[in-house]
């Protein structure tokens, strides 16, 4: 065991080494470069402090918090339904999926997660998969543009516009949807929506094929991404990576298969995985994930109870007047229903004491919500497990040794969004 004197000597040596390093920086052997927070390739407001030895990165320190809004504390002062619009602002490229994950965490706390009507579950799955395609289209378009392929960006954004048209028809909004409700949905599918969605599925598959033709064997794209940003599987696991970044390193782990929720266990789809764990593998995984999402959506459209127009009047909410709002007709014609609505709107759902954790497979990875309840209509504590925040933690390990020009390729392949990093 080291003595006190030996520890002091070691500390002095470490300080001397740090001082020597600082002197090297002063004499120009190392350069400190700020990348972001105002930089298009940092995909939001990420600031990363790079230490460079010529063109080689020797150290990378992410600096986040420029978008911090205190969502988790805000949740403690709102009823469970009132917090739903705030989940739109997490991964704001996939608000529908955020809504579903949060609602299911609250439903688990209430003990009604197994009581959701089948039609509601199918519609929620369709929302999640449309959000996945939309988020991946933006991620791949931005990734390609960062490394010089502008045409792909135009292709992917054309398809995202069609998704936004579907979302607007379904929810009434294009970007911040707030569509899910605790115990159900805000409204059913509108007339003609299923036919529009089928048309979109055929068109987006053509777009995905075109994107692959432009990128997958493109020498410039391959040279910028292959063997760049390699994340070995054991390192990916150690850093807690999830989603396409974990699967790109070779692990076929997907919460929709590992811990099925909604009706995912009744649907057929594959889990794509890479082999090397580089930027190129992560690109290939996302391309295949979009194809699998199209496959899932096709099955949902075929199997949804009640069909396109819900002729059988299948419910989309749990039948519990203390959780879901009564119909407007009943509110206007019954005093008891009016009282129910007033209590639900003002006091919120009366949740039991306890704590739960629920996570869903979002486009960026595992989005989880931990809720600690002391009873009543608001949570005592709420913690968000944001996948982009966790995925960014690998940057100090991943970046050193790469060229400065590789940073945009690595950022694009990780596909993070700062809205859920800062929360």
């Amino acid at each position: 065991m080291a003595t006190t004197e030996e520890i002091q000597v070691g500390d002095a040596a470490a300080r001397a080494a740090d001082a020597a390093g600082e002197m090297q920086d002063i004499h120009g052997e190392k350069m400190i470069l700020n990348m972001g927070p105002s930089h298009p390739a940092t995909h939001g407001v990420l600031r990363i402090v790079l230490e460079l030895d010529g063109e080689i990165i020797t150290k990378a320190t992410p600096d986040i918090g420029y978008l911090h809004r205190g969502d988790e504390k805000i949740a403690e002062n709102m009823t469970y339904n009132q917090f739903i619009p705030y989940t739109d602002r997490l991964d704001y490229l996939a608000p529908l999926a955020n809504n579903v994950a949060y609602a299911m965490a609250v439903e688990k706390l209430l003990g009604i997660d197994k009581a959701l009507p089948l039609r509601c579950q199918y519609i929620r799955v369709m929302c999640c998969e449309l959000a996945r395609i939309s988020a991946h289209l933006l991620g791949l378009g931005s990734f390609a543009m960062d490394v010089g392929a502008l045409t792909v960006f135009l292709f992917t954004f054309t398809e995202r516009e069609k998704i936004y048209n579907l979302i607007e028809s379904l929810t009434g909004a294009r970007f911040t949807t707030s569509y899910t409700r605790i115990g159900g949905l805000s409204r059913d599918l509108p007339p003609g929506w299923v036919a529009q969605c089928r048309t979109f599925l055929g068109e987006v598959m053509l777009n995905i094929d075109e994107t692959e033709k432009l990128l997958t064997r493109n020498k410039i794209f391959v040279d910028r991404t292959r063997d760049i940003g390699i994340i070995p599987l054991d390192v990916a696991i150690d850093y807690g990576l999830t989603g396409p970044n974990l699967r790109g390193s070779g692990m076929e782990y997907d919460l929709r298969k590992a811990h099925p929720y909604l009706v995912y266990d009744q649907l057929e789809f594959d889990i794509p995985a890479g082999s090397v764990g580089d930027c190129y593998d992560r690109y290939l995984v996302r391309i295949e994930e979009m194809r699998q999402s199209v496959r899932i959506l096709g099955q949902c459209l075929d199997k949804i109870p009640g069909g396109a127009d819900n002729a059988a009047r299948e419910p989309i909410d749990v039948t519990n007047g203390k959780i879901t709002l009564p119909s407007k007709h009943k509110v206007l014609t019954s005093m008891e229903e009016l009282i129910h609505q007033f209590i639900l709107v003002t006091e919120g759902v009366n949740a039991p004491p306890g704590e739960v954790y629920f996570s869903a497979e979002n486009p960026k990875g595992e989005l989880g919500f931990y809720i600690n309840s002391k009873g009543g209509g608001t949570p005592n504590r709420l913690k968000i497990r944001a996948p982009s925040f966790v995925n960014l933690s690998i940057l100090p390990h991943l970046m050193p040794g790469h060229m400065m020009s590789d940073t945009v390729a690595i950022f694009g392949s990780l596909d993070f969004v700062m809205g859920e990093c800062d929360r």
Side-chain angles (χ1 to χ4, degrees):
M1 186 172 179
T3 64
T4 303
E5 290 182 358
E6 289 172 334
I7 293 173
Q8 291 174 341
V9 170
D11 290 345
R15 287 195 296 273
D18 290 342
E22 290 176 5
M23 289 302 294
Q24 285 184 339
D25 292 343
I26 290 170
H27 288 101
E29 294 190 18
K30 297 279 183 70
M31 181 175 72
I32 303 299
L33 181 69
N34 274 301
M35 186 174 181
S38 180
H39 190 290
T42 59
H43 297 201
V45 288
L46 171 67
R47 172 181 177 238
I48 185 160
V49 182
L50 299 173
E51 182 186 81
L52 300 175
D53 184 359
E55 285 287 319
I56 306 295
I57 298 168
T58 56
K59 186 178 179 181
T61 306
D63 183 16
I64 65 173
Y66 292 90
L67 203 62
H68 185 61
R69 295 158 294 184
D71 283 351
E72 293 163 334
K73 295 302 291 182
I74 289 173
E76 298 168 16
N77 298 289
M78 289 190 159
T79 66
Y80 289 103
N81 268 310
Q82 284 175 339
F83 186 65
I84 288 173
Y86 286 83
T87 65
D88 291 334
R89 278 83 174 167
L90 296 174
D91 178 1
Y92 43 73
L93 309 178
L96 285 168
N98 303 337
N99 295 168
V100 170
Y102 169 70
M104 293 197 69
V106 180
E107 288 157 3
K108 185 176 180 180
L109 175 66
L110 296 171
I112 62 168
D113 49 324
K114 306 298 183 185
L116 291 173
L118 270 179
R119 185 173 178 85
C120 169
Q121 294 187 51
Y122 273 97
I123 294 175
R124 284 187 177 186
V125 167
M126 289 192 287
C127 288
C128 290
E129 297 310 314
L130 281 173
R132 192 179 320 278
I133 295 172
S134 176
H136 283 354
L137 285 171
L138 186 143
L140 289 175
S142 302
F143 181 19
M145 185 171 64
D146 288 345
V147 295
L150 178 61
T151 304
V152 175
F153 179 83
L154 302 176
F155 274 28
T156 56
F157 266 62
T158 298
E159 297 307 306
R160 286 188 78 244
E161 189 65 21
K162 297 173 186 175
I163 293 176
Y164 277 140
N165 290 337
L166 285 170
I167 291 173
E168 182 180 21
S169 177
L170 177 63
T171 70
R174 297 174 69 83
F175 195 63
T176 47
T177 55
S178 303
Y179 175 60
T180 309
R181 295 291 181 272
I182 308 305
L185 304 166
S186 62
R187 59 177 67 85
D188 204 344
L189 299 179
W193 192 89
V194 168
Q196 295 171 22
C197 191
R198 287 191 193 277
T199 301
F200 164 74
L201 296 184
E203 293 173 352
V204 77
M205 285 297 288
L206 295 175
N207 188 285
I208 294 170
D209 293 341
E210 287 292 327
T211 299
E212 273 218 289
K213 288 179 183 177
L214 287 168
L215 291 181
T216 304
R217 298 180 63 187
N218 182 304
K219 179 170 173 54
I220 297 174
F221 182 78
V222 172
D223 287 349
R224 291 292 304 270
T225 57
R226 183 167 284 171
D227 296 329
I228 301 298
I230 296 175
I231 306 175
L233 180 56
D234 58 336
V235 174
I237 293 172
D238 287 346
Y239 277 88
L241 302 192
T242 53
N245 294 322
L246 175 63
R247 292 189 284 275
S249 296
M251 187 170 186
E252 294 182 7
Y253 181 78
D254 189 309
L255 288 169
R256 296 171 294 173
K257 290 275 193 183
H259 304 285
Y261 53 95
L262 297 174
V263 290
Y264 278 113
D265 56 348
Q266 302 175 33
L267 303 170
E268 295 182 2
F269 60 98
D270 300 321
I271 304 173
S275 56
V276 179
D278 55 9
C279 295
Y280 188 69
D281 267 359
R282 293 190 282 276
Y283 151 76
L284 292 175
V285 165
R286 290 188 175 90
I287 282 282
E288 185 56 30
E289 279 194 9
M290 289 194 290
R291 288 199 171 96
Q292 295 302 319
S293 290
V294 171
R295 183 180 172 190
I296 291 171
L297 282 163
Q299 294 174 68
C300 289
L301 294 175
D302 293 336
K303 295 181 176 182
I304 184 170
D309 55 0
N310 197 10
R313 299 299 176 195
E314 294 286 337
I316 59 168
D317 298 312
V318 296
T319 54
N320 187 329
K322 294 184 178 181
I323 294 175
T324 56
L325 290 173
S327 67
K328 182 61 68 175
H329 173 74
K330 290 181 178 179
V331 171
L332 295 174
T333 56
S334 168
M335 178 58 70
E336 289 78 8
E337 301 292 352
L338 177 61
I339 293 170
H340 273 307
Q341 171 165 301
F342 180 81
I343 291 174
L344 275 174
V345 170
T346 56
E347 298 181 6
V349 177
N350 187 21
E355 57 182 15
V356 297
Y357 176 78
F358 176 83
S359 58
E361 187 66 41
N362 257 37
K364 305 291 187 283
E366 179 184 344
L367 174 65
F369 290 89
Y370 165 78
I371 301 174
N372 181 297
S373 169
K374 289 187 176 180
T378 60
N380 177 52
R381 290 287 185 271
L382 185 138
K383 175 72 173 72
I384 302 170
R385 193 264 182 209
S388 291
F389 176 78
V390 179
N391 291 344
L392 277 182
S393 68
I394 200 171
L395 285 179
H397 172 86
L398 181 62
M399 299 288 286
H402 286 89
M403 301 288 286
M404 178 61 197
S405 57
D406 294 331
T407 56
V408 292
I410 292 172
F411 287 168
S413 73
L414 291 177
D415 190 24
F416 54 87
V417 62
M418 295 308 294
E420 66 181 12
C421 288
D422 295 340
R423 301 189 295 286

